[in-house]
């Protein structure tokens, strides 16, 4: 790490000895104050629930500038990757730190493609779920369940195991998500086909049936691939931090990624795309564009507990660059499908316009995030709302793996074990039950 020549000095008004804390600079972004020796020297903890001012790790993978609305994967702006690369190139970049050349891409694609089938036993595991189970409940089970099938890649401290587990997870997530979907609609599972692209294979496993072939539409395949790219990684968000903390105990990679799936499901995080579309459909039922004013009033009323789903972000205090790209994809897909007049898209655009001009949202720097438009695109593509977050998990798997591997490969890493500010009962004596 790059030490700054500036130090932080901590002094106490009660005359306790002050303490110098080193500061480290990143290649870009905020410096950090190194507090690793704070408790040892002062007997005090820092307090930062929600980690608004805490850097949990030293990473080289993804950088976000929330004020500029900038997102870089290994230094490359998301806008360039979304246009100039495909998802598997982005996976290679996130995992290895550089974009692949032609032969590296061919080899990586072949490796992933040859790991898209899942063990036949997994379908019996899947069949144990209710048909109306939420796909994220199924995915949490299936991904964790992979550690019951792939015993030769469960040792997280073995680089070869990590490599194989990464390829298996990236290769098999589309198959598992498509199986969860087919199971929910009572259709037979469709096996992957090795002559299709990653996104094309996923679309075919989703929509083909044994009765008729499904030829993926290039515009929809490209749109799905872009959705994967936009969701691939995002610094130390809640699910990535969950994967790092879970993996820090040395558990197997499948269990750590399953923890990420479980965390992503929440409506404040990856579940927001499902919640955002449900919100738009509810406003549409209320009366659509004419009723936006009434809905916005509810959002501003703290007692209503209604949030504008798909808006706001812990880091972005400007427009989420992914939302801009997702909105473009929205228009491309809807015009390709002849759905330019989709009332839900019109409603979303009207809602966005009002929110971007309304003092309540402007003062709180609430802009659309990646989840605001992604649901509209997926709905237009025939993806059921309940599957949106599972697709987010599919795409984010490579980011979780890259972040987990970065942590495990850091010789300084330790098991994560935060402390607390305790305000409970001090020590007291248990009295016999007849005296309580
Ligand atoms: C993702 O972290 C990541 O990187 C996540 C992610 C990724 O790729 O991994 O980007 C993916 O999770 C995107 C976020 C998706 N979630 C949503 O769209 C759900 C709606 N958004 C909110 O729940 C909220 O904005 C969060 C959770 C995203 C961020 O919350 P913060 O940073 O804790 O902000 P906050 O709750 O302190 O809000 C600040 C103020 C509050 O009002 P006041 O108390 O100041 O009066 O803004 C208000 C909040 O009530 N506010 C909202 C709002 N989001 C925040 N008011 C209405 N609608 C909203 N969406």
């Amino acid at each position: 790490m790059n030490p700054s020549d500036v130090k932080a000095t901590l002094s106490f008004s009660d005359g306790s000895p002050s303490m110098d804390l080193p500061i480290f600079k990143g290649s870009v972004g905020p410096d950090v104050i190194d507090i690793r020796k704070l408790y040892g020297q002062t007997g005090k903890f820092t307090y930062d629930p929600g980690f608004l001012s805490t850097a949990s790790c030293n990473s080289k993978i993804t950088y976000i500038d929330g004020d500029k609305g900038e997102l870089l994967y290994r230094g490359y702006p998301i806008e360039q990757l979304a246009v100039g690369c495909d998802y598997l190139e982005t996976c290679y970049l996130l995992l290895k730190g550089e974009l692949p050349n032609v032969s590296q891409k061919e080899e990586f694609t072949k490796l992933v493609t040859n790991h898209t089938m899942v063990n036949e036993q997994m379908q019996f595991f899947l069949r144990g779920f209710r048909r109306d189970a939420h796909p994220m409940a199924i995915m949490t089970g299936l991904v964790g369940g992979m550690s019951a099938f792939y015993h030769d890649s469960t040792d997280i401290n073995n680089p070869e195991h990590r490599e194989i587990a990464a390829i298996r997870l990236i290769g098999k997530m589309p198959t598992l998500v498509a199986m969860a979907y087919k199971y929910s609609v009572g259709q037979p599972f469709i096996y992957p086909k090795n002559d299709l692209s990653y996104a094309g294979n996923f679309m075919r496993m989703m929509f083909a049936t044994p009765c008729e072939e499904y030829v993926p539409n290039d515009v929809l395949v490209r749109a799905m691939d872009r959705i994967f790219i936009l969701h691939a990684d995002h610094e130390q968000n809640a699910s990535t931090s969950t994967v790092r903390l879970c993996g820090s105990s040395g558990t197997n990679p499948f269990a750590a990624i399953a923890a990420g799936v479980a965390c992503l499901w929440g409506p404040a995080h990856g579940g927001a795309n499902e919640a955002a579309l449900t919100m738009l459909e509810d406003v549409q039922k209320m009366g659509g564009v004419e009723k936006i004013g009434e809905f916005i009033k509810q959002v501003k009323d703290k007692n209503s507990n209604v949030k504008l789903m798909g808006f706001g972000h812990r880091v972005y205090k400007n427009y989420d660059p992914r939302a801009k790209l997702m909105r473009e994809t929205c228009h491309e897909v809807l015009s390709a499908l002849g759905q330019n007049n989709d009332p839900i898209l019109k409603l979303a655009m009207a809602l966005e316009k009002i929110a971007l001009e309304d003092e309540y949202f402007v003062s709180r720097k609430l802009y659309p995030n990646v989840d605001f438009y992604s649901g509209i695109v997926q709905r237009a593509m025939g993806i059921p709302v309940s599957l949106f977050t599972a697709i987010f998990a599919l795409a984010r798997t490579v980011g979780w793996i890259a972040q987990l591997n970065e942590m495990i490969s850091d010789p300084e890493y330790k098991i994560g074990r935060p402390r607390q500010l305790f305000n409970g009962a001090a020590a007291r004596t248990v009295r016999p039950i007849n005296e309580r």
Side-chain angles (χ1 to χ4, degrees):
M1 293 204 289
N2 180 11
S4 162
D5 48 20
V6 177
K7 296 254 178 293
T9 302
L10 190 58
S11 57
F12 298 92
S13 56
D14 65 358
S16 309
S18 66
M19 176 183 179
D20 277 349
L21 296 163
I23 290 178
F24 290 97
K25 302 180 83 59
S27 48
V28 282
D31 296 350
V32 297
I33 300 172
D34 182 355
I35 57 165
R36 285 175 287 183
K37 294 197 169 64
L38 180 77
Y39 178 59
Q41 292 192 15
T42 69
K44 290 180 175 60
F45 297 137
T46 56
Y47 182 64
D48 186 17
F51 311 118
L52 284 96
S53 301
T54 295
S56 61
C57 62
N58 172 16
S59 180
K60 296 183 171 61
I61 299 172
T62 294
Y63 175 70
I64 302 170
D65 183 319
D67 295 327
K68 288 190 206 154
E70 192 179 72
L71 168 58
L72 310 176
Y73 290 167
R74 300 282 191 181
Y76 292 105
I78 191 72
E79 295 82 357
Q80 293 181 30
L81 292 167
V83 171
C85 297
D86 66 19
Y87 179 67
L88 286 185
E89 285 175 84
T90 307
C91 289
Y92 187 99
L93 172 67
L94 288 168
L95 291 172
K96 299 176 186 292
E98 295 300 335
L99 283 167
N101 59 33
V102 172
S103 60
Q104 289 165 334
K105 180 179 177 182
E106 272 166 17
E107 188 194 339
F108 185 73
T109 302
K110 192 161 172 292
L111 204 50
V112 171
T113 304
N114 289 337
H115 282 81
T116 46
M117 272 210 306
V118 295
N119 184 300
E120 273 298 277
Q121 285 298 103
M122 286 203 95
Q123 60 178 295
F124 303 111
F125 175 22
L126 216 160
R127 290 188 200 287
F129 292 104
R130 284 175 42 157
R131 291 270 181 183
D132 61 352
H134 192 288
M136 285 300 275
I138 294 178
M139 287 309 295
T140 306
L142 287 179
V143 175
M146 286 177 78
S147 44
F149 287 92
Y150 300 106
H151 302 134
D152 59 345
S153 56
T154 51
D155 176 1
I156 197 139
N157 294 303
N158 177 332
E160 275 135 50
H161 281 216
R162 289 204 298 271
E163 174 76 22
I164 267 290
I167 298 298
R168 280 181 166 144
L169 280 158
I170 294 166
K172 297 177 193 316
M173 282 299 273
T175 311
L176 294 174
V177 172
M179 286 173 76
Y181 169 62
K182 285 301 196 186
Y183 184 67
S184 71
V185 293
Q187 289 184 5
F189 302 127
I190 299 294
Y191 288 95
K193 266 183 85 190
N194 290 357
D195 59 355
L196 290 174
S197 70
Y198 188 85
N201 213 353
F202 174 63
M203 298 288 279
R204 182 179 167 280
M205 290 190 284
M206 281 285 294
F207 298 119
T209 68
C211 325
E212 61 183 81
E213 217 6 273
Y214 168 86
V215 181
N217 164 321
D218 288 349
V219 173
L220 301 191
V221 169
R222 183 69 193 129
M224 185 52 77
D225 192 82
R226 177 178 283 192
I227 288 173
F228 293 161
I229 292 172
L230 296 181
H231 289 82
D233 194 45
H234 212 239
E235 201 213 71
Q236 305 312 320
N237 59 82
S239 54
T240 299
S241 301
T242 300
V243 169
R244 279 180 173 257
L245 192 56
C246 182
S248 73
S249 72
T251 190
N252 72 77
F254 305 111
I257 301 302
V261 175
C263 175
L264 187 76
W265 191 3
H269 190 14
N273 51 21
E274 178 178 348
L277 195 83
T278 305
M279 170 192 76
L280 289 167
E281 287 175 338
D282 290 347
V283 175
Q284 190 60 18
K285 280 180 211 135
M286 272 165 63
V289 178
E290 289 70 49
K291 292 290 179 187
I292 287 182
E294 205 178 299
F295 176 69
I296 293 284
K297 214 181 285 168
Q298 272 184 35
V299 171
K300 293 178 185 175
D301 169 11
K302 290 286 176 200
N303 304 321
S304 73
N305 221 5
V306 172
K307 282 194 184 280
L308 189 53
M309 301 311 278
F311 267 71
H313 198 277
R314 173 61 58 75
V315 177
Y316 288 123
K317 300 309 172 194
N318 196 326
Y319 214 103
D320 181 338
R322 302 168 298 175
K324 274 187 198 143
L325 290 158
M326 195 61 80
R327 191 177 52 189
E328 271 170 39
T329 305
C330 228
H331 286 292
E332 282 163 24
V333 168
L334 292 175
S335 48
L337 295 171
Q339 295 178 23
N340 266 326
N341 296 322
D342 177 4
I344 293 287
L345 175 62
K346 289 192 180 322
L347 176 62
M349 306 274 292
L351 202 48
E352 174 188 358
K353 186 171 181 309
I354 292 172
L356 293 182
E357 289 158 5
D358 185 302
E359 178 49 28
Y360 180 90
F361 299 94
V362 172
S363 64
R364 291 169 176 78
K365 299 181 183 240
L366 300 176
Y367 291 87
N369 59 50
V370 68
D371 292 308
F372 188 60
Y373 284 102
S374 67
I376 303 168
V377 191
Q378 294 179 79
R379 171 178 165 275
M381 296 164 79
I383 309 269
V385 180
S386 65
L387 207 74
F388 291 174
T389 311
I391 289 174
F392 190 155
L394 183 171
R396 183 55 58 87
T397 292
V398 65
W400 288 329
I401 293 165
Q403 299 271 354
L404 177 63
N405 288 349
E406 181 178 67
M407 177 187 76
I408 295 291
S409 322
D410 175 351
E412 285 190 355
Y413 105 87
K414 295 178 181 312
I415 185 168
R417 207 281 185 214
R419 303 302 302 273
Q420 62 182 1
L421 173 67
F422 183 71
N423 270 308
R428 51 185 174 158
T429 308
V430 174
R431 288 184 293 128
I433 190 162
N434 55 15
E435 291 176 20
R436 287 179 218 154

